[in-house]
Amino acid sequence: MKTFDYARADSVADATRAGGRFIAGGTNLLDLMKLQVETPEKLVDISRLDLNTIEEREDGGLTIGALVPNSDLAADPRVIARYEVLSRALLAGASGQLRNKATTGGNLLQRTRCYYFYDTAAGCNKRQPGSGCEAIGGFNRIHAILGTSDQCIATHPGDMPVAMRALDAVIVTQKPDGDKRRVPIGDFYRLPGDTPHVENVLEAGELITHVELPAPTGGRHLYRKVRDRASYAFALFSVAAVVTVEDGLITKAALAFGGVAHMPWRNPAVEAALVGKAPSDDTFNAAADALLDGAKGFGTNDFKIPLARRTLIASLREVTQ
């Protein structure tokens, strides 16, 4: 790990103007620094800021501080009762020790677990733009099948953001000039394109302060994660689903997917294939067709395409019972 300057922020305004890399729990950043994947010259400690509460919203939703630990968020009775898919996703995300340290804001910003991104001797356009993507043509078992480019096929590793994508969460930020903005999570992440190192829409010095969850919509909630082992492994494929069935028809559906793209993935065509239809394998297969339209494997991750179909169909059977 290279040397760096350290400063502790006393306020959000101080943090945004401090000119360094934000650190709170550090569960991802410190690993990257130890491997010299990231070498920030300055760390700005935001862990003491007053951003660690969960508050009721007038519309029946919740406002979650960016520093709320994953463990606290997963265990909050309001989250369990109203946003079960989020609690389930958080509990599937990591070990208990990591959940105690990892924060809501940091979880949104965690970086890919691509083997080549972590290996500083390998070509990786995300780590070093213009150096190539060795995952293409290499060992790419965990890599993306949707939204890829010829510059990068990495996946977003998160579980919590997948559930938040299904819940239409809004990310609240503050810029160094004091301006605040609210960014729907569907607009927050960027596909790799020609700039895979630009992963989201945050500007220099902009800090995530809160996440807003809209009022719950009812329905049944499910989070299913397929991984290589039951404890602390990243998703090969995951489904976050909130589905309502009334009078034998699917009336509402919100689905998001992990392990398949550069961002938590959501395709309105999947939901359109479900709403207004009776739950059946024909309906579920149509939804899987919509999800996998344009999907592309790169060799050792070809299995993800049939895996995604089977997992989605099984998940829809369960959530519509």
Side-chain angles (χ1 to χ4, degrees):
M1 183 184 292
K2 293 187 176 181
T3 58
F4 55 87
D5 292 332
Y6 170 86
R8 179 179 293 166
D10 295 323
S11 68
V12 170
D14 287 344
T16 59
R17 294 193 293 261
R21 188 83 154 79
F22 301 130
I23 185 168
T27 55
N28 186 197
L29 178 59
L30 291 179
D31 285 343
L32 296 172
M33 291 175 64
K34 289 174 185 177
L35 295 171
Q36 297 190 29
V37 174
E38 291 199 25
T39 56
E41 295 182 359
K42 181 179 182 180
L43 292 184
V44 179
D45 186 348
I46 60 170
S47 64
R48 307 294 178 91
L49 300 184
D50 186 21
L51 299 173
N52 59 355
T53 59
I54 303 172
E55 299 177 352
E56 295 278 354
R57 294 170 48 81
E58 291 184 2
D59 64 0
L62 295 175
T63 296
I64 303 162
L67 296 180
V68 172
N70 288 177
S71 292
D72 291 1
L73 186 58
D76 188 279
R78 296 164 293 184
V79 173
I80 295 171
R82 303 180 209 170
Y83 308 99
E84 183 184 359
V85 66
L86 177 57
S87 181
R88 289 189 180 194
L90 285 159
L91 293 175
S95 67
Q97 294 93 330
L98 283 172
R99 290 197 300 270
N100 288 340
K101 289 294 293 181
T103 62
T104 300
N107 199 311
L108 290 168
L109 297 175
Q110 64 179 308
R111 307 199 70 188
T112 185
R113 264 56 181 192
C114 171
Y115 324 113
Y116 302 99
F117 174 72
Y118 271 78
D119 180 0
T120 55
C124 172
N125 290 319
K126 181 180 285 293
R127 176 173 32 79
Q128 185 178 355
S131 63
C133 176
E134 291 195 24
I136 299 175
F139 184 65
N140 46 48
R141 186 172 183 274
I142 66 172
H143 288 70
I145 57 173
L146 294 166
T148 59
S149 74
D150 61 3
Q151 299 294 306
C152 183
I153 60 172
T155 54
H156 187 280
D159 293 284
M160 183 199 79
V162 178
M164 286 190 169
R165 183 82 194 265
L167 294 170
D168 292 315
V170 174
I171 298 168
V172 183
T173 70
Q174 183 166 320
K175 298 181 181 181
D177 62 5
D179 284 353
K180 299 179 181 181
R181 62 170 172 162
R182 299 171 68 253
V183 184
I185 193 169
D187 298 329
F188 182 75
Y189 295 103
R190 293 180 46 155
L191 290 176
D194 293 330
T195 56
H197 60 291
V198 183
E199 299 173 347
N200 55 61
V201 299
L202 290 177
E203 300 174 5
E206 189 171 9
L207 176 67
I208 296 174
T209 60
H210 299 87
V211 175
E212 297 174 350
L213 296 182
T217 59
R220 293 192 63 184
H221 289 222
L222 173 146
Y223 188 76
R224 177 167 291 184
K225 179 178 181 179
V226 180
R227 46 188 165 176
D228 284 323
R229 60 183 187 274
S231 65
Y232 191 32
F234 298 101
L236 296 171
F237 180 70
S238 63
V239 183
V242 182
V243 179
T244 301
V245 179
E246 297 175 337
D247 299 325
L249 296 177
I250 299 170
T251 57
K252 297 178 185 176
L255 293 98
F257 306 93
V260 291
H262 209 69
M263 61 172 68
W265 190 258
R266 187 170 178 181
N267 182 347
V270 177
E271 295 157 18
L274 296 170
V275 173
K277 309 292 192 338
S280 69
D281 280 356
D282 286 344
T283 299
F284 302 156
N285 268 299
D289 288 342
L291 171 64
L292 296 170
D293 183 28
K296 177 185 177 183
F298 292 87
T300 51
N301 72 341
D302 291 351
F303 74 97
K304 281 194 174 188
I305 296 175
L307 174 68
R309 176 178 294 277
R310 292 194 303 270
T311 306
L312 174 56
I313 290 171
S315 299
L316 288 171
R317 285 175 183 157
E318 179 178 341
V319 83
T320 57
Q321 286 179 352

